[in-house]
Amino acid sequence: MVRGFTLVEMLVALAVFALLAAGGVTVMAWASASQGAAQARMARVGDLQRVRALLQADLSQAAPRRTRNAAGIAAVQAFTGSAEPGSGLLFALTRRGRENPWGAPRASQYGEYHLHDGRLERSARPMLDGAGFDPPQLVIDGVRNARVMYRFQGEWMDGWPGGTDRIPEALRLTLELDGLGRIEQAFLMQGQWP
């Protein structure tokens, strides 16, 4: 005699299959959400690495040279550093970088780093003297707070005392970033021509 499934057996089998399918969908949704969160975090870490590379390039090429603004007024200091968190301007510097036909090092660009509406921005002038700023470049967004400290003559200071021919030995930048928390980075600076 050939025997088939009863209605109760079929309902039990369908119920078991429905439970397994629901569990599989839940696991797949969780895995997809985790992957999205991991990708977002990795993108944020990538943004932070680009910030570090840009800051390293600028600060390692800092030069003790004063500049003149678009109106021709000379800067008071060779390097400007703010002492007040949240004041907007974090620091301003003149940097080397372009080759000189005679082989001597020379300054080539003036740049400022600002904190504006949760965005760290970099403004630069195409020439050292007598030029206005290009539009600001976004360095990173989602910045809740920023603090800069300066090392000079072996001591860390909250503010930069300034000077017409001196720059800090090092700069420590602390950023409070959305999604990453508190990040502290230190950068060595060249205080004089090689």
Side-chain angles (χ1 to χ4, degrees):
M1 161 171 163
V2 177
R3 189 166 174 236
F5 292 106
T6 65
L7 182 58
V8 173
E9 291 172 334
M10 287 298 290
L11 289 174
V12 169
L14 285 173
V16 169
F17 177 74
L19 287 172
L20 289 174
V25 167
T26 302
V27 168
M28 292 297 289
W30 178 79
S32 177
S34 295
Q35 182 180 13
Q39 287 176 341
R41 186 158 177 89
M42 291 306 295
R44 194 72 170 143
V45 169
D47 291 344
L48 182 62
Q49 293 297 338
R50 283 186 289 282
V51 169
R52 180 157 180 78
L54 179 62
L55 286 166
Q56 183 67 38
D58 277 352
L59 293 170
S60 67
Q61 294 292 319
R65 183 199 189 273
R66 295 189 311 157
T67 62
R68 294 184 180 275
N69 64 16
I73 300 170
V76 177
Q77 303 178 46
F79 180 94
T80 303
S82 174
E84 299 178 27
S87 64
L89 176 68
L90 295 177
F91 56 89
L93 68 138
T94 303
R95 68 166 284 184
R96 291 176 231 134
R98 295 188 186 142
E99 290 295 319
N100 187 341
W102 294 279
R106 69 174 176 192
S108 61
Q109 188 180 52
Y110 175 81
E112 295 181 349
Y113 283 85
H114 295 268
L115 186 59
H116 180 71
D117 291 334
R119 299 162 40 107
L120 180 61
E121 298 177 340
R122 179 182 183 266
S123 299
R125 295 194 303 228
M127 295 177 289
L128 288 175
D129 298 314
F133 284 100
D134 290 336
Q137 168 192 5
L138 173 65
V139 178
I140 192 168
D141 60 355
V143 182
R144 291 188 303 259
N145 192 15
R147 181 176 182 217
V148 183
M149 293 186 72
Y150 311 93
R151 186 169 178 87
F152 187 66
Q153 296 179 345
E155 299 290 328
W156 285 103
M157 298 178 274
D158 284 327
W160 175 243
T164 58
D165 61 350
R166 61 185 185 173
I167 62 175
E169 298 162 357
L171 181 141
R172 182 186 308 154
L173 177 63
T174 304
L175 297 173
E176 293 279 341
L177 298 174
D178 292 341
L180 292 176
R182 183 173 183 248
I183 305 293
E184 187 173 302
Q185 303 177 80
F187 302 93
L188 291 176
M189 299 171 63
Q190 295 180 359
Q192 50 191 306
W193 298 104

